Amino acid sequence: MKILHVVDKMDPTRGGVCQAIRTLIKGFQEQHIHNEVVSTDIPDAAIDFRDSFPLHKMGETVNPWSYSKKIKSWLASNIRRFDVVIVHGLWQYPQYVCYRQKLSMDQDCKIRFYLMPHGMLDPYFQQAPERKLKALRNILYWSLIEKKVVNTLDGILFTCEEELELAHHSFKGYSPKQELVVGLGVEQPPAFTSSMRGAFAALCPVPKDKPYFLFLSRIHEKKGVDLLIKAYARLFNETNQSLPLLIIAGPGKDSDYGTQLIRLVREKHLEEHVLFPGMLTGLSKWGAFYGCEAFILPSHQENFGIAVVEALACGKAVLISEQINIWKEIVRGAGGFAEHDDPEGTYLLLKKWITSSIETKSQMQTNALRTYEDLFRVSVTTHRFLNLIIPTTA
């Protein structure tokens, strides 16, 4: 069996969809399935992709639609080598050209075309106040093009039930041929070593044995970091300063929003208790995960939340908003708490944790790891994914 993945960009620094595709492919490769990717990345870019699969880079596009004449001709010449085409994301030319390619195929062609939106049909993107112009653009684009793409391809692939349900509430005329919840996995993290602790300490010198909450994600308005700092400050005052530290790690510290957050920390006199180590990768990232007391992400929208699942895989309870689409699975598995993405909800996440007994916290850590192993291990999600798409390709 051969699968072709079509996507706008595979630059590994982008994370998100790119990381999801790489994780999917790793799982498929373990099942001896051949994978290739075609994208609009620059062929000679100074980016170390280090991929174990063929990546066909069609060249950087200079237009917001990511139009590429080369990707169209490449698909026309190569599409029949594959059994399944998975089109990742929305709102770009690569999705449209796959739709046109499907229309051009013979009636007896057995190649199946699936669309994996990766949360891009979430109504959040149409309702967020800061996205009014983009929301209007999406409505126009939906009526002219994207509705045809969604309703013509052979099926829509979702990472969880919540994503599927939300997709019904964004646009009129949404009527895909098939909806499949295929899931998404996260690779098992490396076993803890003292070098991980050292790598993290080099970037974020936390006092020895001092517990800390970990936020590890992009520092952006969507992630609710301002809510987190304000909730932490409120609880800090209520508990007479007997709180774990708060580590806010990730890119974006030097953005306008990041600067506002640092100013907020100063105004709350929390400079010694809220730390911004910047982006953590490799050993330092795993050191941060393994060393934290709990992971927290009060995001306003998260289709899956790879960092959330990485925390589970490290045996750490997660404190998340109900706008992270896998929150029901996590609460059902008792691997964490979930509340609304507002000031009170974020405060409750922290309050629930610090008022829980040692026994409850310990059990929640155990449940977190079990939730990962039962639902989000790559081997588990790969089997589910293939069982859903292989019968339709026979």
Side-chain angles (χ1 to χ4, degrees):
M1 184 178 177
K2 295 182 178 181
I3 298 178
L4 174 66
H5 302 262
V6 182
V7 66
D8 180 24
K9 295 288 186 295
M10 281 295 285
D11 178 350
T13 63
R14 287 172 168 249
V17 175
C18 306
Q19 181 58 46
I21 294 172
R22 289 183 167 90
T23 302
L24 283 173
I25 289 177
K26 183 178 176 70
F28 293 156
Q29 287 175 331
E30 292 174 355
Q31 299 300 314
H32 309 291
I33 291 172
H34 178 78
N35 294 264
E36 296 183 30
V37 177
V38 60
S39 74
T40 60
D41 292 285
I42 304 173
D44 58 351
I47 299 172
D48 189 356
F49 286 87
R50 292 189 182 183
D51 289 316
S52 60
F53 51 83
L55 172 57
H56 307 281
K57 294 173 277 189
M58 296 294 105
E60 181 74 30
T61 56
V62 295
N63 56 87
W65 194 34
S66 292
Y67 172 78
S68 169
K69 185 177 181 179
K70 289 183 179 179
I71 199 171
K72 179 181 179 180
S73 59
W74 190 95
L75 285 170
S77 300
N78 291 274
I79 198 75
R80 292 185 180 274
R81 295 194 291 111
F82 300 93
D83 303 292
V84 172
V85 177
I86 301 178
V87 189
H88 296 271
L90 291 173
W91 315 118
Q92 302 291 328
Y93 178 74
Q95 294 86 37
Y96 173 73
V97 75
C98 286
Y99 154 73
R100 296 296 303 176
Q101 187 67 49
K102 176 173 173 55
L103 291 181
S104 69
M105 306 298 286
D106 300 329
Q107 291 294 322
D108 59 348
C109 178
K110 294 185 178 180
I111 302 172
R112 306 294 287 182
F113 288 76
Y114 292 102
L115 175 68
M116 196 164 187
H118 295 277
M120 296 181 190
L121 285 172
D122 193 311
Y124 164 83
F125 296 109
Q126 293 302 106
Q127 298 169 358
E130 69 276 10
R131 290 182 54 87
K132 288 182 179 179
L133 290 178
K134 289 182 179 180
L136 291 173
R137 177 205 62 187
N138 287 351
I139 291 172
L140 178 62
Y141 189 82
W142 172 264
S143 63
L144 294 175
I145 295 175
E146 206 69 69
K147 179 169 64 174
K148 298 174 185 176
V149 176
V150 168
N151 295 343
T152 300
L153 299 189
D154 295 298
I156 312 294
L157 308 179
F158 296 104
T159 59
C160 59
E161 291 286 348
E162 185 81 355
E163 183 191 3
L164 185 155
E165 291 299 321
L166 289 170
H168 288 255
H169 303 289
S170 291
F171 301 101
K172 295 179 179 179
Y174 170 82
S175 183
K177 291 181 178 178
Q178 193 177 24
E179 295 176 305
L180 300 171
V181 178
V182 293
L184 186 64
V186 168
E187 292 183 50
Q188 186 171 355
F192 174 75
T193 64
S194 58
S195 58
M196 293 176 179
R197 182 191 297 116
F200 172 59
L203 297 175
C204 187
V206 175
K208 188 176 181 180
D209 299 326
K210 180 67 175 177
Y212 61 89
F213 295 115
L214 176 66
F215 168 98
L216 194 152
S217 189
R218 186 163 51 104
I219 297 175
H220 186 274
E221 291 93 334
K222 193 186 85 163
K223 305 294 182 175
V225 197
D226 54 318
L227 296 178
L228 176 55
I229 292 173
K230 292 174 183 175
Y232 181 86
R234 175 182 169 187
L235 200 57
F236 185 84
N237 292 328
E238 290 178 0
T239 58
N240 294 317
Q241 308 181 15
S242 60
L243 268 185
L245 299 178
L246 175 59
I247 308 297
I248 298 176
K253 180 176 69 171
D254 298 325
S255 66
D256 289 343
Y257 180 66
T259 302
Q260 293 172 25
L261 297 178
I262 293 172
R263 188 183 306 120
L264 176 62
V265 168
R266 292 196 188 110
E267 291 172 356
K268 302 291 185 181
H269 307 291
L270 293 171
E271 297 96 320
E272 295 181 4
H273 304 275
V274 180
L275 307 179
F276 293 84
M279 186 172 179
L280 303 177
T281 60
L283 291 177
S284 63
K285 182 183 85 168
W286 296 119
F289 272 125
Y290 278 117
C292 76
E293 181 164 313
F295 178 85
I296 184 161
L297 182 61
S299 184
H300 296 301
Q301 192 279 331
E302 215 68 49
N303 180 53
F304 183 74
I306 290 176
V308 174
V309 180
E310 287 177 333
L312 295 174
C314 292
K316 299 298 177 179
V318 296
L319 316 177
I320 58 176
S321 70
E322 293 173 349
Q323 277 57 51
I324 295 175
N325 285 349
I326 56 172
W327 73 272
K328 291 179 181 177
E329 289 87 341
I330 291 170
V331 171
R332 196 155 47 230
F337 298 127
E339 293 288 344
H340 294 307
D341 62 327
D342 57 23
E344 188 63 23
T346 308
Y347 166 80
L348 285 174
L349 288 175
L350 296 171
K351 183 70 175 289
K352 282 184 175 181
W353 179 260
I354 67 166
T355 57
S356 294
S357 66
I358 295 175
E359 293 76 17
T360 297
K361 291 178 180 178
S362 177
Q363 185 60 53
M364 195 170 286
Q365 311 287 29
T366 300
N367 295 341
L369 181 58
R370 186 174 63 241
T371 300
Y372 164 74
E373 292 176 340
D374 290 347
L375 299 179
F376 301 118
R377 262 190 311 131
V378 171
S379 58
V380 171
T381 56
T382 298
H383 282 294
R384 181 166 63 236
F385 199 118
L386 294 177
N387 286 339
L388 287 168
I389 69 170
I390 284 180
T392 63
T393 62

PDB file of all heavy atoms in Angstrom, residues 16 27-28 74 99 150 158 163-164 193 237 240 319 323 347 352 385:
ATOM      1  N   GLY A  16       2.972  21.672  14.650  1.00  0.00           N
ATOM      2  CA  GLY A  16       1.573  21.504  14.283  1.00  0.00           C
ATOM      3  C   GLY A  16       1.328  20.427  13.259  1.00  0.00           C
ATOM      4  O   GLY A  16       1.612  19.246  13.474  1.00  0.00           O
ATOM      5  N   GLY A  27       4.272   5.875  12.111  1.00  0.00           N
ATOM      6  CA  GLY A  27       3.414   4.746  12.443  1.00  0.00           C
ATOM      7  C   GLY A  27       3.103   3.887  11.233  1.00  0.00           C
ATOM      8  O   GLY A  27       3.110   2.650  11.306  1.00  0.00           O
ATOM      9  N   PHE A  28       2.843   4.526  10.094  1.00  0.00           N
ATOM     10  CA  PHE A  28       2.562   3.772   8.869  1.00  0.00           C
ATOM     11  C   PHE A  28       3.778   2.965   8.428  1.00  0.00           C
ATOM     12  O   PHE A  28       3.647   1.831   7.958  1.00  0.00           O
ATOM     13  CB  PHE A  28       2.147   4.729   7.746  1.00  0.00           C
ATOM     14  CG  PHE A  28       0.823   5.420   7.963  1.00  0.00           C
ATOM     15  CD1 PHE A  28       0.550   6.627   7.338  1.00  0.00           C
ATOM     16  CD2 PHE A  28      -0.135   4.876   8.786  1.00  0.00           C
ATOM     17  CE1 PHE A  28      -0.657   7.271   7.527  1.00  0.00           C
ATOM     18  CE2 PHE A  28      -1.352   5.505   8.996  1.00  0.00           C
ATOM     19  CZ  PHE A  28      -1.626   6.710   8.361  1.00  0.00           C
ATOM     20  N   TRP A  74       3.187  17.777 -11.015  1.00  0.00           N
ATOM     21  CA  TRP A  74       3.728  16.606 -10.313  1.00  0.00           C
ATOM     22  C   TRP A  74       2.612  15.612  -9.982  1.00  0.00           C
ATOM     23  O   TRP A  74       2.763  14.399 -10.183  1.00  0.00           O
ATOM     24  CB  TRP A  74       4.440  17.045  -9.041  1.00  0.00           C
ATOM     25  CG  TRP A  74       5.220  15.925  -8.387  1.00  0.00           C
ATOM     26  CD1 TRP A  74       6.531  15.639  -8.544  1.00  0.00           C
ATOM     27  CD2 TRP A  74       4.699  14.935  -7.475  1.00  0.00           C
ATOM     28  NE1 TRP A  74       6.881  14.539  -7.799  1.00  0.00           N
ATOM     29  CE2 TRP A  74       5.780  14.085  -7.140  1.00  0.00           C
ATOM     30  CE3 TRP A  74       3.451  14.686  -6.929  1.00  0.00           C
ATOM     31  CZ2 TRP A  74       5.630  13.006  -6.256  1.00  0.00           C
ATOM     32  CZ3 TRP A  74       3.292  13.607  -6.062  1.00  0.00           C
ATOM     33  CH2 TRP A  74       4.373  12.785  -5.719  1.00  0.00           C
ATOM     34  N   TYR A  99      -8.495  18.298  -5.270  1.00  0.00           N
ATOM     35  CA  TYR A  99      -9.919  18.232  -5.667  1.00  0.00           C
ATOM     36  C   TYR A  99     -10.051  18.178  -7.182  1.00  0.00           C
ATOM     37  O   TYR A  99     -10.777  17.346  -7.741  1.00  0.00           O
ATOM     38  CB  TYR A  99     -10.635  19.445  -5.072  1.00  0.00           C
ATOM     39  CG  TYR A  99     -11.865  19.911  -5.815  1.00  0.00           C
ATOM     40  CD1 TYR A  99     -13.056  19.189  -5.771  1.00  0.00           C
ATOM     41  CD2 TYR A  99     -11.823  21.093  -6.556  1.00  0.00           C
ATOM     42  CE1 TYR A  99     -14.183  19.639  -6.448  1.00  0.00           C
ATOM     43  CE2 TYR A  99     -12.946  21.551  -7.225  1.00  0.00           C
ATOM     44  CZ  TYR A  99     -14.116  20.815  -7.175  1.00  0.00           C
ATOM     45  OH  TYR A  99     -15.236  21.256  -7.852  1.00  0.00           O
ATOM     46  N   VAL A 150     -14.367  19.888   0.311  1.00  0.00           N
ATOM     47  CA  VAL A 150     -14.803  19.092   1.464  1.00  0.00           C
ATOM     48  C   VAL A 150     -15.852  18.055   1.063  1.00  0.00           C
ATOM     49  O   VAL A 150     -15.807  16.897   1.505  1.00  0.00           O
ATOM     50  CB  VAL A 150     -15.355  20.025   2.565  1.00  0.00           C
ATOM     51  CG1 VAL A 150     -16.094  19.231   3.643  1.00  0.00           C
ATOM     52  CG2 VAL A 150     -14.225  20.839   3.176  1.00  0.00           C
ATOM     53  N   PHE A 158     -10.773  12.949  11.087  1.00  0.00           N
ATOM     54  CA  PHE A 158     -10.691  13.773  12.297  1.00  0.00           C
ATOM     55  C   PHE A 158      -9.827  13.098  13.356  1.00  0.00           C
ATOM     56  O   PHE A 158      -9.765  11.865  13.443  1.00  0.00           O
ATOM     57  CB  PHE A 158     -12.085  14.018  12.869  1.00  0.00           C
ATOM     58  CG  PHE A 158     -12.978  14.818  11.958  1.00  0.00           C
ATOM     59  CD1 PHE A 158     -13.989  14.203  11.228  1.00  0.00           C
ATOM     60  CD2 PHE A 158     -12.809  16.185  11.811  1.00  0.00           C
ATOM     61  CE1 PHE A 158     -14.818  14.929  10.384  1.00  0.00           C
ATOM     62  CE2 PHE A 158     -13.627  16.928  10.973  1.00  0.00           C
ATOM     63  CZ  PHE A 158     -14.632  16.294  10.256  1.00  0.00           C
ATOM     64  N   GLU A 163     -13.573  17.223  17.473  1.00  0.00           N
ATOM     65  CA  GLU A 163     -13.278  17.920  16.225  1.00  0.00           C
ATOM     66  C   GLU A 163     -14.366  17.658  15.195  1.00  0.00           C
ATOM     67  O   GLU A 163     -14.800  18.572  14.472  1.00  0.00           O
ATOM     68  CB  GLU A 163     -11.919  17.478  15.663  1.00  0.00           C
ATOM     69  CG  GLU A 163     -11.536  18.245  14.405  1.00  0.00           C
ATOM     70  CD  GLU A 163     -10.348  17.666  13.659  1.00  0.00           C
ATOM     71  OE1 GLU A 163      -9.822  16.617  14.078  1.00  0.00           O
ATOM     72  OE2 GLU A 163      -9.953  18.263  12.627  1.00  0.00           O
ATOM     73  N   LEU A 164     -14.831  16.417  15.122  1.00  0.00           N
ATOM     74  CA  LEU A 164     -15.911  16.075  14.180  1.00  0.00           C
ATOM     75  C   LEU A 164     -17.175  16.866  14.490  1.00  0.00           C
ATOM     76  O   LEU A 164     -17.811  17.430  13.594  1.00  0.00           O
ATOM     77  CB  LEU A 164     -16.179  14.565  14.241  1.00  0.00           C
ATOM     78  CG  LEU A 164     -17.190  13.978  13.250  1.00  0.00           C
ATOM     79  CD1 LEU A 164     -16.890  12.494  13.009  1.00  0.00           C
ATOM     80  CD2 LEU A 164     -18.631  14.116  13.746  1.00  0.00           C
ATOM     81  N   THR A 193      16.578  10.750  31.880  1.00  0.00           N
ATOM     82  CA  THR A 193      17.986  10.669  32.265  1.00  0.00           C
ATOM     83  C   THR A 193      18.371  11.953  32.998  1.00  0.00           C
ATOM     84  O   THR A 193      17.722  12.993  32.830  1.00  0.00           O
ATOM     85  CB  THR A 193      18.907  10.504  31.039  1.00  0.00           C
ATOM     86  OG1 THR A 193      18.795  11.683  30.217  1.00  0.00           O
ATOM     87  CG2 THR A 193      18.532   9.276  30.223  1.00  0.00           C
ATOM     88  N   ASN A 237      -1.613  35.019  45.906  1.00  0.00           N
ATOM     89  CA  ASN A 237      -1.967  35.896  47.021  1.00  0.00           C
ATOM     90  C   ASN A 237      -2.832  35.174  48.044  1.00  0.00           C
ATOM     91  O   ASN A 237      -2.692  35.395  49.258  1.00  0.00           O
ATOM     92  CB  ASN A 237      -2.684  37.136  46.498  1.00  0.00           C
ATOM     93  CG  ASN A 237      -1.761  38.039  45.691  1.00  0.00           C
ATOM     94  OD1 ASN A 237      -0.567  38.111  45.970  1.00  0.00           O
ATOM     95  ND2 ASN A 237      -2.308  38.703  44.680  1.00  0.00           N
ATOM     96  N   ASN A 240      -0.707  32.767  50.301  1.00  0.00           N
ATOM     97  CA  ASN A 240       0.470  33.357  50.955  1.00  0.00           C
ATOM     98  C   ASN A 240       1.769  32.877  50.307  1.00  0.00           C
ATOM     99  O   ASN A 240       2.729  32.508  50.993  1.00  0.00           O
ATOM    100  CB  ASN A 240       0.467  33.043  52.456  1.00  0.00           C
ATOM    101  CG  ASN A 240      -0.689  33.702  53.168  1.00  0.00           C
ATOM    102  OD1 ASN A 240      -0.997  34.866  52.912  1.00  0.00           O
ATOM    103  ND2 ASN A 240      -1.349  32.969  54.050  1.00  0.00           N
ATOM    104  N   LEU A 319      -3.642  20.020  33.146  1.00  0.00           N
ATOM    105  CA  LEU A 319      -4.682  20.971  33.547  1.00  0.00           C
ATOM    106  C   LEU A 319      -4.985  21.797  32.308  1.00  0.00           C
ATOM    107  O   LEU A 319      -4.190  22.651  31.914  1.00  0.00           O
ATOM    108  CB  LEU A 319      -4.182  21.852  34.691  1.00  0.00           C
ATOM    109  CG  LEU A 319      -3.432  21.128  35.823  1.00  0.00           C
ATOM    110  CD1 LEU A 319      -2.927  22.132  36.855  1.00  0.00           C
ATOM    111  CD2 LEU A 319      -4.307  20.063  36.460  1.00  0.00           C
ATOM    112  N   GLN A 323     -11.497  23.776  25.581  1.00  0.00           N
ATOM    113  CA  GLN A 323     -11.353  24.106  24.166  1.00  0.00           C
ATOM    114  C   GLN A 323     -10.212  23.318  23.524  1.00  0.00           C
ATOM    115  O   GLN A 323      -9.927  23.491  22.344  1.00  0.00           O
ATOM    116  CB  GLN A 323     -11.130  25.613  23.992  1.00  0.00           C
ATOM    117  CG  GLN A 323     -12.414  26.430  23.989  1.00  0.00           C
ATOM    118  CD  GLN A 323     -13.246  26.219  25.252  1.00  0.00           C
ATOM    119  OE1 GLN A 323     -12.731  26.326  26.359  1.00  0.00           O
ATOM    120  NE2 GLN A 323     -14.509  25.918  25.091  1.00  0.00           N
ATOM    121  N   TYR A 347      -8.348  29.704  36.917  1.00  0.00           N
ATOM    122  CA  TYR A 347      -8.103  29.719  38.357  1.00  0.00           C
ATOM    123  C   TYR A 347      -8.476  28.370  38.976  1.00  0.00           C
ATOM    124  O   TYR A 347      -7.744  27.820  39.815  1.00  0.00           O
ATOM    125  CB  TYR A 347      -8.908  30.846  38.995  1.00  0.00           C
ATOM    126  CG  TYR A 347      -9.026  30.790  40.498  1.00  0.00           C
ATOM    127  CD1 TYR A 347      -7.992  31.237  41.315  1.00  0.00           C
ATOM    128  CD2 TYR A 347     -10.184  30.286  41.096  1.00  0.00           C
ATOM    129  CE1 TYR A 347      -8.106  31.186  42.693  1.00  0.00           C
ATOM    130  CE2 TYR A 347     -10.310  30.229  42.469  1.00  0.00           C
ATOM    131  CZ  TYR A 347      -9.274  30.672  43.270  1.00  0.00           C
ATOM    132  OH  TYR A 347      -9.387  30.620  44.640  1.00  0.00           O
ATOM    133  N   LYS A 352      -7.873  23.406  41.927  1.00  0.00           N
ATOM    134  CA  LYS A 352      -8.182  21.979  42.069  1.00  0.00           C
ATOM    135  C   LYS A 352      -6.919  21.164  42.309  1.00  0.00           C
ATOM    136  O   LYS A 352      -6.908  20.229  43.121  1.00  0.00           O
ATOM    137  CB  LYS A 352      -8.901  21.464  40.819  1.00  0.00           C
ATOM    138  CG  LYS A 352     -10.366  21.815  40.736  1.00  0.00           C
ATOM    139  CD  LYS A 352     -10.977  21.162  39.495  1.00  0.00           C
ATOM    140  CE  LYS A 352     -12.476  21.390  39.418  1.00  0.00           C
ATOM    141  NZ  LYS A 352     -13.072  20.727  38.226  1.00  0.00           N
ATOM    142  N   PHE A 385      -6.385   3.986  12.549  1.00  0.00           N
ATOM    143  CA  PHE A 385      -6.379   4.766  11.313  1.00  0.00           C
ATOM    144  C   PHE A 385      -6.478   3.842  10.099  1.00  0.00           C
ATOM    145  O   PHE A 385      -7.340   4.013   9.228  1.00  0.00           O
ATOM    146  CB  PHE A 385      -5.075   5.578  11.262  1.00  0.00           C
ATOM    147  CG  PHE A 385      -5.086   6.740  10.321  1.00  0.00           C
ATOM    148  CD1 PHE A 385      -4.925   8.037  10.798  1.00  0.00           C
ATOM    149  CD2 PHE A 385      -5.238   6.554   8.957  1.00  0.00           C
ATOM    150  CE1 PHE A 385      -4.916   9.124   9.938  1.00  0.00           C
ATOM    151  CE2 PHE A 385      -5.224   7.626   8.087  1.00  0.00           C
ATOM    152  CZ  PHE A 385      -5.070   8.910   8.569  1.00  0.00           C
TER     153      PHE A 385
END
